[in-house]
Each structure stands twice: as structure tokens, then as C-alpha cells.
Amino acid sequence: MLALILAFAPQIFPPLACAAEEEKIIYLTFDDGPTDSTTPKILDILKENDVKATFFVIGRQIQTRKEILRRTLAEGHSIGVHSYSHEYSEIYRSPHALLKDIEQCRSAIISVVPSWKGNIYRFPGGEGGLSQELGNAVRNAGYRVCGWNASTEDAISPNATADELFENALRTAGERKKIILLMHDGVGYKETVRCLPKLIRHYKNAGYTFEKF
């Protein structure tokens, strides 16, 4: 399971010039939304701090949360495909099943925001441990796969406090100059919400620029 959680897909980042390698950048990413209880609170915090982020959404949750999805895009954040069902046993049965799930999620997004043309994708659970065939199918379909290299570990530490999530983020990020931080905006992630302002303050003070995909 840990291999899945810490999976990272570096191929989406082309080699940078030497000068750019020293630039400190952090990408805040959130999986498993939108939700009524968590996503709006995260959007409020991001707006207050003038920070943009990337949200990898679950398609079946969009229909009753259309305004949250519209707000996310209207406030300048990025939306990526995560899954329609998030049912591992179904979506990972075959490349065909995976692509069908991806397209269902994509259609759910477009049904709310017809102008959306995003092509970023995050494997539920991460790409690590999956067959190369599945990864190739997604990339051949034109998607850029986005993994992560740091995590608050909020999904595997459901009883962790906000301070513990903060420490997890710093520990897993280490001294990286480019950080892709995994968090979740699903139901029940109250401590993630509480942790977020502290994380933003820390990385702003450390000289990081906040980017989105």
C-alpha cells in the first residue's frame, strides 16, 4: 500500500535548465472531491491566501455538486481526472475498463463546464504496482499522468491531527525544490482543512512559489 501512496510519475516534467532547477515550486493537489463538507472550506483557504491548486475529481460526485466544480475553475484552480467510480477492482480490470472510467469522469466534468479541456490524470492509489499496460493506455489516450512526491498521508492516517499531517508533509517532501503534495478533499478530512493554512505559511516563508498543473 505504501508503494501506491508514494508513487510518483516524473515523466511529466521535462528536464529543466540549470537556473530553473534551483527555483522552489510546490503544487498543492487534492484528490477525491468535490464534496460539500470539505471542498468549499479548502477553496476558502486558498482564496484567502491567493494560492492556486489542482483538484483531481471523482466523476460520480459531480452531479450534485455542480456549483462547487464551477467555483473551483472560476477561482483559477485546475481540474484533473481522477476516476468516475474510484472502484479499484473495476477500473483496473483492463485497459479498456480504465479508459472507460476515465472518459465517464471526463464527460461528467464537461457536462458541468463544457469549455473544460484538461488532460491531466491521477491514478487512484497511484501508478506504482500497476501494469505498464495500464499506464501506456492512459498516456496513449493523450493524458498527462500526475503522481506525487510528498504527502500529508491524510488518507492512510485517518486519526492524525493537523500538526501530524503537517509534519508528514515536511518529512516526505524533504529538501526537494519541486514538491507535488498529495492531500484529499473527500468527506471527513477536517484535519486536512485545519492543516492547510499552516502548510501554506510554511512554504511561503521558505520561498516556494505555488503552481497548478
Side-chain angles (χ1 to χ4, degrees), residues 3-25:
L4 294 179
I5 293 299
L6 296 180
F8 175 48
Q11 71 285 341
I12 65 171
F13 301 113
L16 302 174
C18 292
E21 286 177 351
E22 295 305 309
E23 185 179 3
K24 297 197 290 188
I25 300 172

Side-chain angles (χ1 to χ4, degrees), residues 95-174:
H96 174 77
L98 177 58
L99 292 178
K100 180 179 178 181
D101 178 79
I102 288 172
E103 289 309 306
Q104 283 181 300
C105 183
R106 183 179 186 85
S107 294
I109 297 170
I110 292 174
S111 71
V112 177
V113 187
S115 61
W116 179 82
K117 300 184 185 301
N119 71 334
I120 53 174
Y121 174 74
R122 174 169 283 169
F123 284 95
E127 189 175 2
L130 297 179
S131 70
Q132 185 176 353
E133 187 181 20
L134 291 174
N136 288 343
V138 174
R139 293 179 177 88
N140 290 340
Y143 288 91
R144 295 187 300 146
V145 175
C146 179
W148 60 90
N149 60 8
S151 174
T152 59
E153 299 183 348
D154 51 0
I156 60 173
S157 305
N159 298 317
T161 66
D163 286 341
E164 289 170 335
L165 297 180
F166 175 80
E167 293 301 328
N168 290 343
L170 269 57
R171 171 178 52 79
T172 57

Side-chain angles (χ1 to χ4, degrees), residues 28-106:
L28 302 181
T29 69
F30 298 89
D31 289 7
D32 297 355
T35 60
D36 299 313
S37 60
T38 307
T39 308
K41 294 175 183 177
I42 287 175
L43 290 173
D44 289 344
I45 293 168
L46 295 173
K47 186 175 183 179
E48 289 167 8
N49 289 275
D50 192 25
V51 166
K52 305 307 179 189
T54 304
F55 292 80
F56 292 92
V57 300
I58 296 178
R60 67 182 179 187
Q61 296 175 188
I62 290 174
Q63 189 62 30
T64 56
R65 299 171 180 88
K66 295 179 181 179
E67 289 308 314
I68 295 175
L69 189 73
R70 292 189 184 109
R71 177 189 171 186
T72 301
L73 288 168
E75 294 184 358
H77 306 291
S78 292
I79 295 292
V81 173
H82 193 36
S83 176
Y84 184 83
S85 70
H86 210 276
E87 297 290 341
Y88 291 12
S89 61
E90 290 296 319
I91 65 177
Y92 293 143
R93 281 189 298 110
S94 67
H96 174 77
L98 177 58
L99 292 178
K100 180 179 178 181
D101 178 79
I102 288 172
E103 289 309 306
Q104 283 181 300
C105 183
R106 183 179 186 85

